[in-house]
Amino acid sequence: MLAIEDLHISFHRYNKGLDRTKLTPVHNLNLEIGVGEIMAIVGESGGGKSLLAHAVLDILPANAETGGKICFCGQELDRKKINKLRGRKISLVPQSVSYLNPLLTVGRQVFRAAVVAGLSKKEAKIARDSAFDMVSLEEASMKLYPFQLSGGMAQRVLVAMATVGGAPLIIADEPTTGLDPELLAGFLELLRVTIDNGRAAMLITHDLNAARKVADKIAVFAGGTIVEIINNRENLTSDKLSHPYSRALWDSLPENGFNLSEIKHTYSARENGNQQGCLFRGACCCDREQCEKSIPPLMPVKHGLVRCWNA
Amino acid sequence: MTNTIVQQPKQVSLLQRKKAVLICLCCVFFFVALYIAGAMMGDTGLRTDFLHRNLPPSLDYPFGTDWLGRDLLTRTVKGLCISIQIGMLAAMCSAVLAGLLGVAAATFGGKVDTVITGMIDVVMSTPHLVMLILISFAMGGGVQGVVVAVALTHWTRLARILRAEVMQLKNADYLQLSTRLGKSKLWIARNHILPHLLPQFVIGLILLFPHAILHSAGLSFLGFGLTPHNPSIGILLSESMQQLSTGHWWLAVIPGVCLICMVKVFDILGNTLRYLSDPQTSQQ
Amino acid sequence: MLEARKVTFHYPACAKPVLTDIHISINSGDIVGVYGPSGSGKTTLARLLSGYLIPDTGKVMVDGVELPQRGRLPVQLLNQHPELSVNPRWMVGEILAEEAMPGRELLASLRINKDWLKRYPHELSGGEIQRVTIARALGTETRYIIADEITTMLDAITQVQIWQVLLEAARNRNIGILVISHDHQLLNRVCNTVLQLSGQSGGLKAA
C-alpha cells in the first residue's frame, strides 16, 4: 500500500551568524507496508522517526528538503497529491486529546472529519455511528467534550476520527506514550481490529514492547535509517534479531536484563555522523573490510531484512 | 485542530536567515540615507520661486513644485525626517509606558493588575482618533501635543503583550526550578525574564513607529497637530488638499506614497527582526 | 531522610483531595518506586515532596527539618517533559551552569557532548535534554531526587543509560531517589522498594 524508496530528509541549520550546515537525520530509507499490515517503526526517541511520518503527510517544517520516492497504492506522491490524500486516504492518529478541538463534542468532530474526508452529510452520519461502534464507544459518548474523556476513551475517539473517513492508511505517531498498561493493551487491541478491516498502519513508537504485541513487522530505526525489519508473526525472541542495535534495544528492556552491553559502540558510531561505511562499525562482533567501505543495503535474512554485512 | 487532517500554513517563500538579515540592513540603510539626505539638502528648495509655480514632476523637479514654487522633493524628504523624529519620540514614550505598566501589572498582580488591565481596556475601546484629537487639543497642539497624544493612545498593545509574557514566564517550570536552585528574585528577573522581554520590547517599539508616524501625520492633516512651522508630511498633505481641485495631483499623491512606503519599511523591519530573534524560526 | 507526614492535598478547582494522609519516607541512598494508575496523584506527590506544591495539612520534612520555602532545596524534581524545565533562550552550556558547571566526569558519564554546550534546547532530542537536566539536578547540595516518569518518553537504550548514571550517583553520593512510573518492570529493576499508590482510598501500600 505504501512504499518508500530511498527517502532522505535534510535540514539546514545555522551555527553562528550566517554559517549553515546541512543535517540529514533520515537517509537511505526503504520501507513497504502491505494491506492488513501493521508496521511498527521502533527506535531512538528523537532520532527522526516522526520525520518519516511527517514526510508521508507532507507536514515537515519549511526548511526541510526531501529526496527519494513515496508511493501510495502504486502511484508516486508529490505535494499536490499528498494534499489531496491527507485525511481522505492517509490519516493520522495523534498523541493525545490535546489535538482535538476543546469546544466541540467528540461526535461532532468525528462527523466533521468524515465530511472533510469527502463524505456527504448523510454518509458521514452513518460513518460516524459505525466508527463509534467499531471502537466500542457508546452513543452517549458522542455528546462529550474532549476534557470529559478518560484516557482510554480519548484513545478510542482519536482512532475513530482517523478511521471514519475510510482512510486505508493510518499513521499513528507515538500514540501509546504515557498510557498505563491497561490502556495500552486496550489501544493495541483496537488498532489490530481496525487494521483487520483491510487497512494498513504505520505505528511509530519508542516502545519495543508495545510494538511486538501488535505489529506484523517491526522496523528498527537507528542512526537515521531502518537497520532491520523483523517479521513478527510469532513471538519475538532475541535470537530473531540480527542487527547489533536491535539486539541492544532488546537487551535494554527492563524485563530482558536492563543491560547496556553493546550500546556504547553504536552510540559513538552515530555521533560521528556522515562517515563512510556502516554506521555501526565496531559495534558488532566482527569488523570486515566491507563494513568500512559501504553502508550495507537491507538484505534478506531468516526473519526479515537487515542492514549488516555480518548477518 | 478539529480533525486528524493536519493543516499547516504553507510558507510561500522560504524566509532564510541570510535574506532576513539583508532585509534588515536594507531597511536600516533606507532610513539612514533618508535622514542624511534630509540634513544635507539646503534650504534652496524651500524658497518661494514664483517663476516655477505648480510644475508637474519633471527632470529638474522630480516631484514637481507647489503653488509657491517650492521644490516638492526637498519638502517631502525634510517632511519625512520630521515625521520620523516625532514618530520615534512618540513611539519611545509609548513603549516605555507600556513596559512599565505591563511588567508592573504582571509582577504585582492583584489590584495593580486589575487597574492596569482596566486602563488598557478603556484606552483600547475608545476610538483612537477621537482620543488623539482630544489629547492633542488639550495639550495645545504642536510637537508636545502630538507626542503625548500618540504616546497615551498606543501603549496598550505592547503592554498587553509584555504582561502576558511575564505572566507566562512566572509559571514556567524553569523559573520555578531556578528558585529551587536557590536563585534570588533579582537574579531570575535579570537572567531569565529580561532576556525574554527585551526582544519583545524592541520589536514592539519598532512596530510602534509606523503607527506613531501615521497618526502624527493624521493629526497634523486634520489640523490638531503640528503647525506649518514644522512642515512634516502631515502638514504637506493637509496643505495639498486645497490644491487638489485645481488638478495638481502630485502635491498630494507623491508625499502620500512616500509616507506609506516609509511606514511599510518600518513594518517589514519589525517583522523581520521578530523572525530573527526567535531561536526557533531563525533556524529556517 | 525525606518524608511526608500525613500529607493531604487538594487542587483549588476541585473539592475532593487528590491525596489524603499520605506517609512516605525515603532514606539517603534509598531508591523507592511509586506505582499507580493515571490520575492517582503520582505527580502531585512528586511536586509536594519537591516543594513545588505546599500540602493542605501535614508536613514534608528533610532530615528532621521542614522543607524550606526559599533558598537551595536539597530535593530536586525531574519530570517527564524536560524541554519545559529549560529556558528556550539559553544555550545548553548556560543551562548546565545555572548553579555551577557540573564536573567533567559527570558530563562524560551522561554523554553530554562538548558541542552541545553551544546549542539551544530545541536542537536536542528529548533524551538529550533529559540528560542535561539530570546533570543540572545533581548539584553538590542535592540530597534527594524525585524522578517523575523521567524516561516515559524515551527508548529503552536511552532509558538504561539515564538510570545507570542516576543509580551510580545515588550510590556514590548517597542520594535518595523517588522513582515514579507506570512501568512496573522498570521499577522492579531500579528500586529497592516499590509502593503502590491507589487512587480512590488514597493510600500507599507495598506492592
Side-chain angles (χ1 to χ4, degrees):
Chain A
M1 183 172 287
L2 183 77
I4 298 174
E5 265 174 58
D6 209 24
L7 180 72
H8 286 70
I9 302 174
S10 7
F11 289 93
H12 290 286
R13 205 177 73 85
Y14 287 94
N15 297 328
K16 215 177 203 179
L18 294 174
D19 176 25
R20 280 206 311 188
T21 43
K22 191 173 164 183
L23 299 174
T24 308
V26 175
H27 58 87
N28 305 92
L29 192 141
N30 291 289
L31 189 68
E32 235 174 274
I33 305 178
V35 177
E37 247 177 29
I38 300 179
M39 169 73 81
I41 316 273
V42 182
E44 281 171 281
S45 18
K49 293 175 307 213
S50 293
L51 293 177
L52 173 60
H54 293 177
V56 175
L57 292 164
D58 190 29
I59 49 172
L60 288 168
N63 61 332
E65 255 174 53
T66 54
K69 260 199 330 193
I70 300 175
C71 297
F72 179 72
C73 294
Q75 59 175 157
E76 196 180 333
L77 294 184
D78 53 26
R79 293 208 129 164
K80 251 194 202 157
K81 276 188 193 142
I82 295 179
N83 264 325
K84 271 192 193 157
L85 293 174
R86 200 192 299 144
R88 301 198 170 95
K89 301 283 180 201
I90 306 177
S91 62
L92 177 76
V93 179
Q95 212 177 61
S96 70
V97 261
S98 60
Y99 285 77
L100 295 176
N101 184 339
L103 302 176
L104 284 180
T105 61
V106 294
R108 182 96 198 125
Q109 292 189 56
V110 173
F111 170 74
R112 275 177 46 169
V115 172
V116 170
L119 300 183
S120 71
K121 289 206 165 157
K122 235 183 193 172
E123 291 168 323
K125 263 194 188 126
I126 300 167
R128 176 195 63 190
D129 293 345
S130 64
F132 269 82
D133 193 43
M134 190 198 73
V135 299
S136 31
L137 279 173
E138 292 158 33
E139 231 180 278
S141 54
M142 284 187 205
K143 297 231 163 63
L144 297 178
Y145 286 90
F147 75 93
Q148 294 169 308
L149 301 175
S150 70
M153 282 164 89
Q155 287 295 338
R156 283 165 195 279
V157 169
L158 293 175
V159 172
M161 196 173 264
T163 53
V164 68
L169 178 65
I170 295 168
I171 297 179
D173 190 3
E174 298 277 9
T176 60
T177 314
L179 292 187
D180 44 62
E182 276 168 57
L183 294 181
L184 177 66
F187 175 79
L188 295 178
E189 200 178 305
L190 180 62
L191 190 64
R192 189 71 257 176
V193 173
T194 314
I195 300 315
D196 286 342
N197 291 341
R199 294 193 169 90
M202 185 197 283
L203 170 68
I204 294 174
T205 176
H206 65 260
D207 187 351
L208 181 58
N209 258 330
R212 79 190 175 109
K213 278 178 199 144
V214 68
D216 300 297
K217 285 181 181 170
I218 300 175
V220 180
F221 185 98
T225 192
I226 286 172
V227 295
E228 181 164 14
I229 299 179
I230 309 138
N231 294 325
N232 187 37
R233 297 281 176 204
E234 65 261 40
N235 215 355
L236 187 68
T237 47
S238 72
D239 54 312
K240 288 181 186 153
L241 301 169
S242 329
H243 196 275
Y245 181 86
S246 331
R247 260 183 273 138
L249 194 63
W250 175 267
D251 287 340
S252 61
L253 286 176
E255 51 271 57
N256 298 342
F258 210 53
N259 192 329
L260 263 184
S261 54
E262 288 186 85
I263 302 144
K264 274 179 191 161
H265 302 290
T266 60
Y267 263 73
S268 65
R270 191 184 78 93
E271 274 157 13
N272 285 337
N274 295 331
Q275 61 182 4
Q276 284 271 310
C278 182
L279 292 174
F280 298 89
R281 198 173 68 217
C284 53
C285 50
C286 25
D287 195 355
R288 294 195 206 175
E289 211 179 308
Q290 233 168 346
C291 303
E292 238 167 79
K293 273 190 194 141
S294 57
I295 299 178
L298 274 173
M299 293 175 289
V301 287
K302 198 175 161 207
H303 296 284
L305 300 164
V306 69
R307 263 180 196 278
C308 181
W309 293 117
N310 295 320
Chain B
M1 220 174 324
T2 52
N3 49 53
T4 47
I5 298 165
V6 181
Q7 283 158 341
Q8 219 193 20
K10 281 273 172 296
Q11 268 174 296
V12 184
S13 73
L14 215 134
L15 196 53
Q16 291 172 334
R17 197 186 280 193
K18 209 185 225 162
K19 202 166 139 198
V21 171
L22 212 65
I23 291 173
C24 285
L25 286 177
C26 285
C27 292
V28 171
F29 178 75
F30 174 82
F31 291 119
V32 172
L34 188 70
Y35 210 81
I36 291 175
M40 300 268 285
M41 274 179 183
D43 283 341
T44 42
L46 295 181
R47 262 178 232 140
T48 45
D49 177 0
F50 291 102
L51 287 177
H52 303 279
R53 291 173 56 200
N54 293 331
L55 292 179
S58 63
L59 281 178
D60 287 342
Y61 299 101
F63 283 15
T65 59
D66 65 4
W67 62 99
L68 293 173
R70 291 173 293 190
D71 177 28
L72 195 58
L73 174 65
T74 318
R75 292 203 81 198
T76 306
V77 170
K78 293 220 177 231
L80 284 175
C81 288
I82 294 176
S83 283
I84 290 180
Q85 282 173 12
I86 288 173
M88 277 197 181
L89 193 62
M92 274 182 209
C93 294
S94 192
V96 169
L97 197 62
L100 289 177
L101 291 176
V103 172
T107 7
F108 298 118
K111 278 198 184 127
V112 180
D113 189 29
T114 320
V115 170
I116 293 176
T117 38
M119 274 161 61
I120 293 178
D121 289 341
V122 168
V123 174
M124 278 190 134
S125 57
T126 41
H128 248 51
L129 207 57
V130 175
M131 284 271 282
L132 278 164
I133 293 172
L134 282 178
I135 298 171
S136 180
F137 194 69
M139 295 294 296
V143 176
Q144 55 167 356
V146 172
V147 170
V148 172
V150 172
L152 285 182
T153 47
H154 282 73
W155 57 278
T156 47
R157 267 207 16 220
L158 184 58
R160 241 189 204 179
I161 292 172
L162 293 178
R163 173 179 170 272
E165 187 82 6
V166 175
M167 296 276 251
Q168 197 193 357
L169 280 174
K170 257 169 70 177
N171 292 321
D173 264 11
Y174 57 87
L175 262 190
Q176 302 203 2
L177 191 126
S178 205
T179 336
R180 277 152 194 94
L181 285 174
K183 300 294 181 193
S184 69
K185 279 195 169 155
L186 201 66
W187 192 93
I188 291 174
R190 210 175 51 219
N191 291 282
H192 279 294
I193 298 182
L194 206 61
H196 268 268
L197 290 188
L198 217 54
Q200 294 271 17
F201 182 79
V202 171
I203 290 158
L205 175 64
I206 291 176
L207 288 176
L208 264 175
F209 286 163
H211 277 268
I213 291 169
L214 270 183
H215 277 128
S216 62
L219 268 181
S220 306
F221 177 80
L222 291 172
F224 297 102
L226 304 175
T227 53
H229 302 296
N230 284 317
S232 76
I233 210 86
I235 295 291
L236 251 71
L237 289 171
S238 169
E239 286 173 352
S240 72
M241 280 298 120
Q242 298 150 15
Q243 309 291 322
L244 211 56
S245 54
T246 51
H248 304 143
W249 55 270
W250 58 92
L251 293 177
V253 171
I254 294 177
V257 169
C258 289
L259 176 65
I260 292 171
C261 287
M262 188 179 67
V263 164
K264 188 68 200 162
V265 170
F266 264 122
D267 207 42
I268 293 171
L269 179 66
N271 281 322
T272 323
L273 276 179
R274 169 156 59 197
Y275 162 88
L276 277 177
S277 73
D278 186 328
Q280 271 185 45
T281 53
S282 71
Q283 283 301 327
Q284 290 175 8
Chain C
M1 191 162 68
L2 172 67
E3 55 181 332
R5 287 189 195 159
K6 286 201 127 196
V7 163
T8 302
F9 183 81
H10 76 97
Y11 285 99
C14 194
K16 219 179 125 212
V18 193
L19 298 168
T20 9
D21 281 344
I22 293 286
H23 270 282
I24 188 171
S25 60
I26 303 135
N27 285 317
S28 295
D30 208 7
I31 293 156
V32 178
V34 170
Y35 177 85
S38 29
S40 59
K42 288 176 296 189
T43 297
T44 310
L45 179 65
R47 293 182 85 83
L48 281 167
L49 284 171
S50 50
Y52 282 71
L53 295 172
I54 296 162
D56 298 345
T57 58
K59 280 177 185 167
V60 177
M61 314 279 279
V62 189
D63 302 325
V65 194
E66 205 165 333
L67 195 67
Q69 294 295 320
R70 270 160 208 274
R72 173 65 158 90
L73 290 194
V75 187
Q76 289 294 320
L77 177 70
L78 294 170
N79 56 37
Q80 189 181 349
H81 302 286
E83 39 315 331
L84 296 179
S85 53
V86 293
N87 187 335
R89 281 177 194 267
W90 283 15
M91 285 187 288
V92 171
E94 298 172 277
I95 292 167
L96 282 170
E98 175 150 10
E99 192 175 21
M101 195 64 190
R104 224 187 254 160
E105 259 172 60
L106 182 61
L107 293 185
S109 69
L110 279 162
R111 287 197 185 74
I112 293 174
N113 230 325
K114 233 190 188 164
D115 51 286
W116 293 6
L117 301 185
K118 292 255 179 270
R119 288 206 207 158
Y120 287 97
H122 70 90
E123 296 165 18
L124 300 181
S125 72
E128 290 166 342
I129 304 176
Q130 191 64 280
R131 270 135 73 187
V132 170
T133 60
I134 289 172
R136 177 179 61 182
L138 284 172
T140 43
E141 282 174 63
T142 302
R143 305 281 321 282
Y144 300 94
I145 283 192
I146 314 289
D148 183 10
E149 304 269 17
I150 57 168
T151 51
T152 309
M153 310 289 282
L154 307 175
D155 64 86
I157 294 180
T158 317
Q159 170 167 291
V160 179
Q161 287 176 335
I162 283 181
W163 281 111
Q164 280 191 340
V165 178
L166 263 181
L167 297 180
E168 198 188 298
R171 219 176 301 122
N172 292 345
R173 294 180 33 199
N174 215 19
I175 289 176
I177 304 181
L178 180 77
V179 188
I180 291 175
S181 174
H182 58 244
D183 185 347
H184 220 290
Q185 305 277 7
L186 173 71
L187 290 178
N188 287 342
R189 276 281 166 195
V190 293
C191 303
N192 311 341
T193 23
V194 179
L195 302 171
Q196 164 108 33
L197 188 64
S198 42
Q200 301 308 319
S201 56
L204 273 167
K205 289 179 210 110

